[in-house]
Amino acid sequence: MHLGVNIDHVATLRQARYATMLDMHNVEPSPLQAAQAALRGGADSITLHVREDRRHMQDADAFAVRREVPLPLNLEMGATPEMLEFALRLKPDYICLVPERRQEITTEGGLDVASRVDELRPMVQALAANGSRVSLFIDPETAQIEAAAAIGAPMVELHTGRFANTLGAEREAETQRLIVAAECGHALGIEVHAGHGIQIANLAELNRVPHLTELNIGHTLISRAVFVGLEAAVREMKEAIAAFKW
Ligand code: PXP
């Protein structure tokens, strides 16, 4: 099981103080140092989200991680012409297309691929031709996975936010949706990843979902890092994931 470490919150913290002072000598914390700590802790890839409004990660952060961290880089980005142009210059190993605007989002919060097949297909093709494998961040719905297959996306990331944020019967229903979606993706030859709200505490239940090959995890790692450091937090997560057969 691959662990992608999402370091966005490091940029969020930096911007909270230094958004208008990024050229100063004392700016902290550094997303590049976070990526290096994640590498030491055993991360398999680094995930960062460059938003259209650049409110957290800046272009320079992405280029620094790309240049200096010997791990695959997974760029999360909105499916827009401007971000496409950025991704073609950055050339990350992986790209995960995510919704940023209200109208791009399906009911639960994933990218609405099913209603945008014709628009997304050329973007996925252009990114693939540029050397980036593309994933689509979608709700665990068969229609979205079939649309991802129709576009030719080799990977999807199933949105686990609802799974993470519910309990009892709702959690069980969401787990079942994830299982069905993962089976559908696997049957269509698509690599199935999961992300959002994953914590050590919900790994055992997530482990019921078959065919997962990568988990993208951010918030809990950065939260834990406040107390033990990011390297240790990533190592703990790797060990917790390795306790299960995926
Ligand atoms: N995957 C995607 C597509 C995301 O946008 C995020 C961040 O919200 C994550 C994974 C990581 O989620 P979390 O920070 O809740 O672990």
Side-chain angles (χ1 to χ4, degrees), residues 6 76 98 137 157 195-197 216-219:
N6 183 317
E76 285 180 13
V98 300
F137 183 56
E157 180 171 319
H196 207 96
N216 276 301
I217 305 182
H219 187 93

Side-chain angles (χ1 to χ4, degrees), residues 172-211:
E172 179 55 30
E174 196 59 21
T175 307
Q176 290 303 329
R177 271 166 36 100
L178 287 164
I179 291 171
V180 170
E183 278 168 349
C184 174
H186 183 71
L188 291 170
I190 296 177
E191 212 176 283
V192 184
H193 304 169
H196 207 96
I198 299 172
Q199 297 171 310
I200 287 178
N202 57 32
L203 281 179
E205 263 184 286
L206 189 63
N207 183 242
R208 293 171 56 202
V209 179
H211 311 304

Side-chain angles (χ1 to χ4, degrees), residues 4-6 8-9 47 49 51 74 76-77 96-99 136-138 157-161 164 194-199 215-222:
V5 173
N6 183 317
D8 286 344
H9 287 326
T47 295
H49 185 173
R51 291 179 169 269
N74 176 28
E76 285 180 13
M77 61 176 230
C96 184
L97 297 179
V98 300
L136 306 170
F137 183 56
I138 55 172
E157 180 171 319
L158 299 179
H159 192 327
T160 47
H196 207 96
I198 299 172
Q199 297 171 310
L215 305 180
N216 276 301
I217 305 182
H219 187 93
T220 193
L221 291 173
I222 304 303

